Amino acid sequence: MRARVFPDYEAMSAAAAHAVVDRLVEEPSAVLMLPTGTTPLGMYGRLVEMHRSGEISFSEATFFNLDEYLGLLPDHPASYHVYMKENFYGLIDADPARIFVPDGAADDPEAECERYQAAIGEAGGIDVCVLGIGRNGHIGFNEPGAPFDSRTRVVRLSESTRLVNAGDFEADRAPERAITVGMATIFESREALLLASGTNKAAAVAAALEGDVSESVPASMLKKHPNTTLFLDEDAASDLGRGVAS
Ligand code: F6R
């Protein structure tokens, strides 16, 4: 796992977008796995700009999202379906037949998890997995304690994650449960890019990069991954090298 530190959020986002585009230029039919949240918005913005200026087409790529809240219809404004449509999929030339987001409103969530996992397998696995990181070190919605051998499944969100994400919902909390791609599937990605911005991610970044590999810090699993790059702004990197990670 290597870290690249950029002066600010814009520079970090641009570099991450370029890393994705470089991969797609090499392999236009690459399979991408993508996150939602605040952090990747700058990267999506740059990717959309590059698409509009004719630098890149996404028409042959396949897209999987990492997660979705359980119980939200795909048109719920806080759903990750809507987020992705508004910030990325709806603004590029992606083929709708090759866009996959877990169905949080499925009648049988367990069957939906199996279907989603099978779809990833049928696509040949993930070429590039783009990740954010939670303040508690989560990746996808794999909260601390998530088994490293886990696959797509229904998970319970931690109280801290629900509070952080509460602003997207009218009630004061995010849903209790979500569907997430598991740790083993993330680990099997041929390349992983983890993006982090801001001082509120500094401790999690330091724990992942400098602490022990442990299921209590999910992102630390990536230390064992052969091709992971952290894209950090200076704030997110501000706890590195201080020996504060346990
Ligand atoms: C969301 C996801 C989460 C976020 C993480 C950071 O799809 O996979 O792991 O990446 O919670 O969220 P932000 O970027 O909002 O700080």
Side-chain angles (χ1 to χ4, degrees), residues 34-40 66-67 80 131-134 138-141 201:
L34 297 174
T36 59
T38 311
T39 312
L66 278 160
D67 41 25
Y80 290 164
L131 298 160
I133 182 170
H138 73 214
I139 50 177
F141 274 142
K201 299 294 174 65

Side-chain angles (χ1 to χ4, degrees), residues 8-245:
D8 54 31
Y9 175 74
E10 284 68 33
M12 182 278 283
S13 301
H18 276 106
V20 170
V21 165
D22 287 350
R23 186 61 187 255
L24 277 172
V25 166
E26 245 171 58
E27 196 183 347
S29 62
V31 180
L32 307 182
M33 181 160 278
L34 297 174
T36 59
T38 311
T39 312
L41 288 172
M43 178 193 74
Y44 290 136
R46 292 301 294 249
L47 289 171
V48 170
E49 275 171 25
M50 283 191 253
H51 170 64
R52 287 187 175 149
S53 68
E55 277 173 74
I56 189 72
S57 167
F58 297 93
S59 63
E60 291 176 47
T62 297
F63 303 91
F64 285 91
N65 267 80
L66 278 160
D67 41 25
E68 176 60 288
Y69 291 112
L70 200 68
L72 294 196
L73 288 168
D75 62 354
H76 187 289
S79 76
Y80 290 164
H81 280 79
V82 168
Y83 170 105
M84 290 306 295
K85 191 173 166 201
E86 290 183 347
N87 293 300
F88 193 46
Y89 298 145
L91 308 176
I92 58 170
D93 59 346
D95 177 352
R98 284 200 290 271
I99 295 175
F100 298 84
V101 183
D103 180 1
D107 289 338
D108 183 344
E110 307 297 338
E112 169 61 8
C113 293
E114 277 175 35
R115 184 195 70 84
Y116 202 72
Q117 188 67 46
I120 294 170
E122 278 157 28
I126 306 300
D127 292 309
V128 183
C129 181
V130 184
L131 298 160
I133 182 170
R135 296 177 203 188
N136 62 4
H138 73 214
I139 50 177
F141 274 142
N142 294 285
E143 299 281 29
F148 282 169
D149 63 358
S150 54
R151 299 286 173 184
T152 306
R153 68 203 186 287
V154 173
V155 291
R156 193 161 285 281
L157 299 178
S158 73
E159 281 301 300
S160 61
T161 297
R162 292 179 66 210
L163 278 172
V164 168
N165 293 0
D168 295 335
F169 293 87
E170 280 173 22
D172 61 346
R173 292 282 171 86
E176 285 177 18
R177 295 187 300 159
I179 293 176
T180 187
V181 169
M183 297 294 286
T185 306
I186 293 172
F187 192 79
E188 286 163 8
S189 303
R190 289 174 269 282
E191 180 173 8
L193 314 176
L194 186 147
L195 282 50
S197 165
T199 49
N200 59 16
K201 299 294 174 65
V205 166
L209 196 63
E210 297 177 345
D212 295 336
V213 175
S214 158
E215 288 177 353
S216 60
V217 181
S220 68
M221 175 188 70
L222 298 168
K223 280 172 87 167
K224 289 189 176 283
H225 188 273
N227 190 10
T228 290
T229 307
L230 268 52
F231 288 74
L232 309 174
D233 65 13
E234 278 182 3
D235 286 341
S238 58
D239 277 358
L240 294 177
R242 292 190 187 173
V244 291

